[in-house]
Amino acid sequence: MFAFNSLPPDPAVVGDRWREMWRERLEGSGLWLDTWLRHQRRDDYWKPASVNEDYSRVRCPVMAVGGWADGYTNAIFRLLENLDVPRKGLIGPWGHRYPHLGVPGPAIGFLQEVVRWWDHWLKGVDTGLEEEPMLRAWMQDAQPPSASYEDRPGRWVGEPSWPAPGVEDREYRFTAHHLQQVGAAHLERDDDGGDDDGERHVTLRSPLSVGMFAGKWASYSAVPDLPYDQREEDGGALVFETGPLTEPVEILGLPRVELEVSSDKPVAQLAVRLSDVAPDGEATRVTYGVLNLTHRDGSENPEPLEPGRPYPVRIELNGIAQSVPAGHRLRISVSTSYWPLIWPSPEPATVTLTTSRSSLHLPVRRPRPEDDELRPLGPPEAAEEAETTVLGTGQHSWRVTRDLATDVSTLEIVNDQGTFRIEDTGTKIHRDTREWYSFRWNDVTSVRGETRTVRRLENGADWRVEVVTRTVLTCTADDFLINAQLDAYELDEQQGDPRVYSQNWERRIPRDLV
């Protein structure tokens, strides 16, 4: 902006213009939570950004990449199934990070894979892509439950197309207490010794505590944010379980449950978890899915439930590749709450499930010799990291507490990355994000989510800036309530900490069948 001045720019003028530009950017940043909550249906705000509105508009080759611990992996299966262009899918055990930095590991040579892709499609180099399977996925071995993993043992498997012809839809019927594989040679026995194959209606109203050990929707592996032992959650859920498996079962794809349910309220929701239960009883969540039952026929035009009326519903669980050993059990857990991953219904709802009209469908894949012949993926490679010096250590934690005096339970997440200096430029960076999610007993209007973020950058005595944001979301039975603040400072030891920009939001947004 000042490059063509005949004289060096006045530092005061430069500083004033810089502050003006900073304010303009901060003012334009907006409050995305406000925007999102004003579009609680699949309307014209969401549709233009959705590939599945018209897959034929994608006319270039597509390489879709994700991880099982991420929140976006299902899109890879949809792209492989519906696009009509050359396409490949690559799914590892990773969270929301690039595969060459992937955690949980193993990380791979992702940059080499990208170069192979561009060499093939932009340079016409024969890199062997066309001979490789459409989908390459990391088949995870069974592991004890943990909120974090350094590595997930397993192996790579490949499928020539998707849907894969070698993946069978294996059905398990719900009974009063069990999952019974359709076509199996025997029925589980009920506690009274009778065959457990009649129609039964089981009811459920879960406590709000179900979900406090669910982990993060899209793991960044920055804190211990993966789901913990599911026995902590299953006391508030309906549980259906197979007997010990007589042979290993390998799952690849998107499991689903088909249920017949009714509710005593017009708005209700269900969360369904699939777990691998080891012989010692430890339960590792394999995958899960949720459904607002008013969206049972789609999210564009949700409809309230008619209390007492039974509805058939389908809940797709997130895609996964998981090997479950012989001797382990498969468990389905159904709950009416999953806070804080999903916001509770406006009022507590009791849901009734008809077991004889409910089933689990597993995409089961048998190992094939071709898996052992897959081209090895190279080791992780990346540019040399910039030299940095740690100036202040961070703090990472994921705490669940319950105050019995007040009946308030809180999930506190601390992701304080400390302070470090980039030696090439002398720039110091501080990053600290904290989150709190709480509720009081079973009061669905008491739920509260709060985030607070601090970002500070400085370069010696030349400049120091800091931005602090805080957002609180609460609700009544009829409305969502947003309270948010954004403050920006230009830190100056002589002038104190002058605030150069501040904005506050107070919003009340009607709930729309949510």
Side-chain angles (χ1 to χ4, degrees):
M1 182 174 297
F2 303 99
F4 299 103
N5 286 355
S6 56
L7 297 175
D10 183 343
V13 174
V14 174
D16 289 343
R17 179 53 183 150
W18 177 83
R19 294 185 188 93
E20 180 183 345
M21 295 171 63
W22 192 25
R23 293 189 190 100
E24 290 175 355
R25 179 162 184 171
L26 290 168
E27 184 176 1
S29 63
L31 182 66
W32 58 262
L33 181 59
D34 181 10
T35 303
W36 285 12
L37 284 178
R38 295 184 187 279
H39 299 275
Q40 297 171 41
R41 304 183 179 208
R42 185 179 176 82
D43 57 16
D44 290 338
Y45 172 78
W46 301 104
K47 289 181 180 179
S50 298
V51 174
N52 67 359
E53 288 296 308
D54 185 1
Y55 286 103
S56 67
R57 296 183 64 186
V58 178
R59 301 176 182 176
C60 64
V62 171
M63 180 181 182
V65 183
W68 297 129
D70 199 355
Y72 299 93
T73 313
N74 295 342
I76 298 175
F77 291 102
R78 293 195 289 267
L79 291 171
L80 296 183
E81 180 174 359
N82 293 288
L83 291 180
D84 191 24
V85 295
R87 56 207 183 275
K88 299 288 184 183
L90 174 64
I91 311 175
W94 321 296
H96 195 66
R97 305 182 69 173
Y98 284 109
H100 62 290
L101 305 171
V103 179
I108 65 165
F110 177 62
L111 300 185
Q112 300 96 297
E113 294 303 306
V114 171
V115 169
R116 290 180 68 243
W117 179 265
W118 296 125
D119 279 348
H120 180 88
W121 293 111
L122 298 183
K123 296 182 179 180
V125 177
D126 182 6
T127 60
L129 281 178
E130 294 183 353
E131 289 74 42
E132 295 182 359
M134 177 184 290
L135 172 65
R136 179 191 280 241
W138 184 254
M139 179 66 68
Q140 299 181 142
D141 291 342
Q143 289 288 289
S146 177
S148 64
Y149 298 97
E150 183 175 349
D151 288 289
R152 288 299 304 261
R155 73 185 200 284
W156 290 106
V157 300
E159 293 293 344
S161 60
W162 194 264
V167 175
E168 68 168 291
D169 183 358
R170 182 176 297 180
E171 182 178 0
Y172 293 81
R173 182 167 56 85
F174 284 36
T175 67
H177 307 288
H178 306 109
L179 291 173
Q180 173 64 44
Q181 182 181 340
V182 173
H186 68 281
L187 288 174
E188 301 285 353
R189 307 296 287 185
D190 206 349
D191 292 339
D192 61 6
D195 287 340
D196 191 10
D197 59 354
E199 178 170 293
R200 296 177 185 267
H201 303 280
V202 288
T203 61
L204 173 68
R205 179 186 289 186
S206 299
L208 281 175
S209 58
V210 177
M212 296 294 275
F213 295 91
K216 199 176 186 68
W217 169 72
S219 169
Y220 282 79
S221 303
V223 292
D225 58 8
L226 296 174
Y228 198 58
D229 192 330
Q230 296 300 286
R231 290 177 295 183
E232 300 276 0
E233 311 273 51
D234 284 342
L238 292 175
V239 173
F240 305 89
E241 192 172 284
T242 68
L245 299 177
T246 58
E247 62 179 7
V249 172
E250 291 196 348
I251 305 165
L252 176 59
L254 290 84
R256 72 182 190 277
V257 293
E258 296 181 355
L259 310 173
E260 182 180 270
V261 297
S262 62
S263 170
D264 66 342
K265 295 293 188 296
V267 180
Q269 59 195 12
L270 288 179
V272 178
R273 292 173 282 122
L274 173 64
S275 297
D276 167 11
V277 183
D280 63 3
E282 290 186 335
T284 302
R285 196 186 73 190
V286 173
T287 184
Y288 76 100
V290 299
L291 177 65
N292 179 339
L293 294 176
T294 68
H295 291 236
R296 60 195 177 275
D297 296 320
S299 295
E300 186 170 356
N301 296 297
E303 293 286 344
L305 299 161
E306 179 183 330
R309 175 184 170 184
Y311 294 90
V313 299
R314 170 184 288 200
I315 303 177
E316 281 200 347
L317 311 189
N318 294 322
I320 194 66
Q322 180 71 43
S323 177
V324 183
H328 287 218
R329 300 170 184 259
L330 295 171
R331 175 183 295 171
I332 284 289
S333 307
V334 183
S335 61
T336 58
S337 63
Y338 211 35
W339 169 257
L341 281 184
I342 57 176
W343 201 269
S345 301
E347 54 184 336
T350 298
V351 172
T352 299
L353 184 151
T354 306
T355 59
S356 62
R357 297 185 178 90
S358 300
S359 58
L360 162 69
H361 293 258
L362 278 187
V364 174
R365 176 190 192 273
R366 294 194 178 275
R368 297 202 305 271
E370 294 88 338
D371 297 336
D372 298 329
E373 300 173 3
L374 290 173
R375 177 183 57 83
L377 299 175
E381 292 183 3
E384 184 177 350
E385 293 187 3
E387 182 182 357
T388 60
T389 300
V390 175
L391 304 176
T393 57
Q395 178 186 1
H396 303 277
S397 63
W398 189 288
R399 301 189 187 99
V400 177
T401 61
R402 181 177 180 186
D403 186 339
L404 295 177
T406 61
D407 269 338
V408 173
S409 298
T410 304
L411 167 62
E412 179 189 27
I413 302 170
V414 177
N415 184 14
D416 177 3
Q417 301 180 42
T419 305
F420 64 94
R421 180 176 59 236
I422 302 174
E423 294 301 338
D424 283 348
T425 62
T427 304
K428 298 179 183 178
I429 300 175
H430 173 73
R431 297 182 290 195
D432 185 0
T433 299
R434 298 173 187 243
E435 307 169 55
W436 298 267
Y437 303 94
S438 63
F439 65 92
R440 184 179 61 256
W441 191 224
N442 285 318
D443 180 0
V444 293
T445 62
S446 71
V447 294
R448 183 180 189 274
E450 177 180 353
T451 65
R452 183 179 185 272
T453 299
V454 178
R455 295 288 186 268
R456 184 186 310 124
L457 296 93
E458 57 182 294
N459 194 309
D462 294 337
W463 53 267
R464 300 174 65 207
V465 296
E466 180 176 285
V467 177
V468 180
T469 65
R470 176 177 177 267
T471 304
V472 177
L473 179 63
T474 57
C475 70
T476 67
D478 300 314
D479 301 297
F480 289 109
L481 308 175
I482 302 175
N483 179 291
Q485 300 91 41
L486 184 155
D487 293 288
Y489 302 88
E490 183 179 2
L491 307 177
D492 189 313
E493 294 180 356
Q494 296 180 349
Q495 302 181 34
D497 290 346
R499 183 162 45 188
V500 299
Y501 182 82
S502 180
Q503 187 170 359
N504 298 323
W505 292 266
E506 292 280 352
R507 298 286 189 268
R508 178 181 289 267
I509 302 171
R511 299 174 71 152
D512 181 13
L513 298 178
V514 173

